[in-house]
Amino acid sequence: MLKMEDSTISLTSADFEEDRYSRLRLIPWWDQEKLKNSAVMVVGAGAIGNELIKNLALLGIGRIFIFDMDTIEHTNLTRSVLYRAQDVGRYKAEVAAERAMELNPDVKAKAFVSNIIDDVGLGVFAEMDVVLGGLDNREARLAINQSCYKVNRPWIDGAIEALSGFARVFVPGEGACYECTMTEADWMMINKRKSCALLTQEQMAEGKTPTTPTSSSVIAGIQVQEMLKLLHKERGLPTLAGKGFVFNGLTHDSYVVEYQRKPDCMSHDTYDVIKSMPWSVRTMTLGELVGLVKSEQGDRAVVELDREIAASARCTCGREKALFLPVHKLTSDLLACPECGAPMIFDSFHSLNGTEYFLSKTLFEVGIPLMHVVGGRVGIEETIYYEFDGDKEEVFRGC
Ligand SMILES: [Zn+2]
Ligand SMILES: [Zn+2]
């Protein structure tokens, strides 16, 4: 099908795209243009992530953002369609992004070797139409869940073990969220790992779960189909929002489970108003930020960060040490006194009123990620949120 553009008919690359996607367009509700204009985040470029990214590329999702901190190992090659033996040692996210663009030159894919728990600003989540998870740990799922809820974005979780797996869809305001589905045992695992973090970081190494390329393609396929329905939401297609697709690979039975929304769940916080500001986390100092928020909201305004940041540590021997990193990243090594080896006591903050001694530090220097969102409020009045869009060009460069 040829398309008229600027009243001239010519064979542009857009016309060849029509050929590539014409079988997809046979689906009555399909809108290829919408997919082309979509931004989708994939967290985790392992077994599930490979299948997710492959599907997104084939479908012509215009902008794909891939988050993973690991490098490729030989053991990944049995479950990762995007990786080759010569890729061993390279970052998964980088190789996956290259291969996605090879599979379909219409798509742009960008790699982020970042920790999804701390290093990704809420403004990055806000830019996405859907977030897809291919993860193997609960803390990362919980962090994605909270970030997506704050900026009102849907996310789709996938999990596999041996031949089986499940896919779950979480849409703010529509039924249960990920935290609502968490059991007592899930919390015990998280708390165990958290307490371990203060002992040795090495012991935190992920448990190795048996996974296959077959179960990952089944589950990732369901995740991407759910994403397609969410992207076409004006079509009113049924989705798994607040529900899970459970697949038993031994019998090939499957069923859908509906999760209970917990009214006291801590993850349902959605920011009402987020103001887009030309501010940059990279360059703005804490002092400048406090000044700007006070000029917006009055002199009694305080800045609320959404995380607890350790400022400094002090030892009984008198030695002091600057920290400036999220409290949960502290380890016993970091808190050991460089002078006498004793464990040091640290102080921390999550809000700023303009009297702090470290106001000359930039937000980035105290561990706030690029494109983050911070709050400003006066007393118990409603918080107004500010998104740091001055970082946008740096974060999304090339994509
Ligand atoms: Zn919840
Ligand atoms: Zn000491």
Side-chain angles (χ1 to χ4, degrees):
M1 193 165 64
L2 290 177
K3 228 163 76 181
M4 298 275 283
E5 265 171 36
D6 299 335
S7 72
T8 59
I9 299 174
S10 62
L11 279 175
T12 64
S13 63
D15 299 312
F16 291 109
E17 279 172 26
E18 298 252 335
D19 283 60
R20 183 188 271 264
Y21 305 109
S22 57
R23 296 298 166 88
L24 298 173
R25 286 202 184 89
L26 294 176
I27 297 171
W29 47 265
W30 199 269
D31 183 348
Q32 191 62 44
E33 198 60 21
K34 194 181 275 295
L35 301 188
K36 186 183 157 195
N37 293 327
S38 293
V40 174
M41 181 192 287
V42 177
V43 189
I48 294 179
N50 262 255
E51 292 294 319
L52 294 170
I53 294 159
K54 174 208 77 181
N55 287 333
L56 299 184
L58 294 177
L59 291 167
I61 298 296
R63 297 165 74 211
I64 304 168
F65 301 93
I66 302 166
F67 290 77
D68 195 298
M69 292 178 68
D70 294 337
T71 53
I72 298 169
E73 296 173 26
H74 272 110
T75 54
N76 300 131
L77 298 177
T78 52
R79 296 164 335 284
S80 309
V81 69
L82 302 174
Y83 306 149
R84 311 283 175 265
Q86 66 264 28
D87 300 323
V88 168
R90 295 187 60 201
Y91 282 113
K92 289 178 178 175
E94 286 176 8
V95 175
E98 284 171 24
R99 298 284 144 73
M101 292 188 282
E102 263 172 47
L103 273 176
N104 184 352
D106 293 345
V107 309
K108 284 190 173 142
K110 183 158 182 174
F112 294 82
V113 181
S114 313
N115 180 348
I116 201 74
I117 296 177
D118 298 301
D119 302 342
V120 184
L122 285 177
V124 180
F125 284 90
E127 180 85 0
M128 302 298 144
D129 293 292
V130 180
V131 174
L132 300 174
L135 296 147
D136 56 6
N137 81 79
R138 293 168 183 80
E139 286 101 319
R141 287 189 172 98
L142 206 48
I144 293 171
N145 186 63
Q146 286 170 358
S147 296
C148 284
Y149 265 70
K150 283 175 184 168
V151 297
N152 197 13
R153 289 293 178 276
W155 82 281
I156 306 173
D157 182 37
I160 51 171
E161 182 158 4
L163 301 182
S164 301
F166 50 87
R168 301 181 284 196
V169 180
F170 303 109
V171 182
E174 290 183 43
C177 81
Y178 171 70
E179 187 177 330
C180 295
T181 72
M182 283 178 64
T183 62
E184 203 74 8
D186 289 321
W187 284 112
M188 267 169 64
M189 293 289 279
I190 284 192
N191 290 331
K192 199 171 150 202
R193 278 164 53 88
K194 270 189 183 156
S195 59
C196 287
L198 280 168
L199 297 171
T200 65
Q201 198 89 42
E202 300 79 59
Q203 286 172 354
M204 277 179 52
E206 283 299 321
K208 290 184 172 60
T209 307
T211 58
T212 61
T214 45
S215 56
S216 62
S217 66
V218 171
I219 296 305
I222 298 287
Q223 287 178 271
V224 174
Q225 295 208 148
E226 285 299 311
M227 176 207 75
L228 287 169
K229 291 186 281 173
L230 291 176
L231 291 179
H232 289 86
K233 61 172 176 284
E234 75 290 345
R235 297 289 186 153
L237 303 162
T239 71
L240 284 177
K243 298 177 190 166
F245 166 85
V246 184
F247 174 68
N248 179 338
L250 285 177
T251 58
H252 288 167
D253 286 323
S254 69
Y255 59 93
V256 169
V257 56
E258 181 158 4
Y259 299 107
Q260 285 298 312
R261 183 184 157 92
K262 292 181 185 160
D264 57 345
C265 173
M266 300 297 283
S267 287
H268 299 169
D269 185 19
T270 298
Y271 295 168
D272 278 338
V273 185
I274 302 177
K275 288 177 129 182
S276 171
M277 309 307 271
W279 305 345
S280 164
V281 164
R282 179 80 74 190
T283 57
M284 186 176 285
T285 64
L286 300 178
E288 286 166 346
L289 173 62
V290 174
L292 285 162
V293 170
K294 283 182 189 293
S295 72
E296 289 255 328
Q297 297 188 35
D299 221 35
R300 292 190 303 121
V302 292
V303 172
E304 287 287 353
L305 307 170
D306 65 346
R307 56 197 64 201
E308 193 71 23
I309 295 167
S312 63
R314 192 167 294 107
C315 182
T316 45
C317 78
R319 178 71 185 250
E320 284 185 38
K321 178 178 161 184
L323 294 166
F324 295 110
L325 80 175
V327 162
H328 72 92
K329 277 192 178 173
L330 293 175
T331 60
S332 51
D333 283 354
L334 276 167
L335 288 175
C337 174
E339 202 70 40
C340 71
M344 304 171 88
I345 305 293
F346 67 90
D347 56 48
S348 64
F349 64 98
H350 62 266
S351 62
L352 303 161
N353 62 18
T355 61
E356 293 77 9
Y357 67 89
F358 43 78
L359 290 174
S360 63
K361 292 211 168 282
T362 64
L363 276 85
F364 194 76
E365 285 170 334
V366 301
I368 303 296
L370 297 183
M371 277 193 82
H372 202 46
V373 174
V374 301
R377 66 175 171 80
V378 177
I380 53 161
E381 282 171 40
E382 198 189 354
T383 305
I384 297 172
Y385 293 96
Y386 305 96
E387 183 178 315
F388 280 70
D389 278 346
D391 302 314
K392 211 166 188 169
E393 144 68 22
E394 179 180 346
V395 173
F396 293 121
R397 192 173 295 149
C399 200

